[in-house]
Structure formats: C-alpha cells, structure tokens
Amino acid sequence: MLSVVPPGAHVTQKQSVKPQWDSCDGIRSTYGWDPATVVVDFTDGGSAPRVVAYVQRAMRGLGWTFEQASIGQGTWAWHRKVASGGRASALLIGGPGSEPPGWTLQATAPPASHPSNGC
C-alpha cells in the first residue's frame, strides 16, 4: 500500500494485520481465518484533488477498480478480485477538514481459505 501514497507525503503510521485463526464467539464451528488488513496514515502529498488523483492512478495500476466517492464525506473506495475468488476492498478517507488532519488508506483482503464465519 505504500506504493500508492503520493510523493512528498509524510507517512505517520503503517500497520499490517496478518490473518489469524480466530472465532468471535468461541464456538468450534465458527473458527476460521480473519482477513488481512493494511492501514497507512499520511499527511501532506499536495492538494486533496492531487492526492485523490494520484491514489486513483496508482490503485488502477495495481489492478483495483474504483467503486465510489463520497466527496462530501471524504471517502473513496476500490475493490479487487483476489486469487481465492474473494473480493478485497480499499478505502481512502480524509482530506481537508478531517479530524485528525490527513489521510488514511486501508485495504482488507479475505483469507485464502476457510474464513471465520457466523459472527
């Protein structure tokens, strides 16, 4: 995900969560793998239109399909089919006036097999 952060932006936090074998309720039949998640927080990178345009181009170059924009709320969404047949999703949240100021880019992908269920 760092490859879609605009040049000149300052990454303030990056976090990745690998899939873990888990159950939300402890029942044996609901155990499975959690999704993988990557979150990158950054500031700067230019004006809001420049940041959004850069991220859109970079995501398209990585095979992501732009889904929607809620410009008033500062949220842009993408999806991508993964090898397991599932659907990964990504969100860009933030822009001018966001609290805290800056941007958050989050991508989540389903596990390759046996996702947790029933929760």
Side-chain angles (χ1 to χ4, degrees), residues 1 4 12 38-44 48 51-52 55 59 66 68-78 89-108:
M1 292 306 295
V4 303
T12 57
V38 175
V39 179
V40 177
D41 293 333
F42 62 95
T43 58
D44 304 320
V51 168
V52 172
V55 172
M59 294 292 281
F66 184 67
Q68 68 183 24
S70 298
I71 304 300
Q73 296 177 5
T75 303
W76 296 263
W78 294 263
S89 61
L91 292 174
L92 175 65
I93 303 165
S98 62
E99 288 296 328
W103 300 89
T104 296
L105 183 59
Q106 176 178 329
T108 303

Side-chain angles (χ1 to χ4, degrees), residues 3-119:
S3 65
V4 303
V5 173
H10 174 69
V11 174
T12 57
Q13 180 177 334
K14 54 186 172 184
Q15 177 184 7
S16 60
V17 179
K18 296 180 181 180
Q20 295 183 14
W21 189 254
D22 194 14
S23 169
C24 64
D25 56 12
I27 298 173
R28 183 179 174 100
S29 64
T30 64
Y31 272 88
W33 292 103
D34 290 333
T37 302
V38 175
V39 179
V40 177
D41 293 333
F42 62 95
T43 58
D44 304 320
S47 67
R50 181 180 177 277
V51 168
V52 172
Y54 184 89
V55 172
Q56 283 182 319
R57 277 192 312 276
M59 294 292 281
R60 186 173 46 248
L62 293 172
W64 291 82
T65 301
F66 184 67
E67 206 169 274
Q68 68 183 24
S70 298
I71 304 300
Q73 296 177 5
T75 303
W76 296 263
W78 294 263
H79 70 272
R80 179 180 178 179
K81 192 165 188 151
V82 294
S84 66
R87 181 178 162 136
S89 61
L91 292 174
L92 175 65
I93 303 165
S98 62
E99 288 296 328
W103 300 89
T104 296
L105 183 59
Q106 176 178 329
T108 303
S113 68
H114 199 78
S116 58
N117 62 56
C119 301

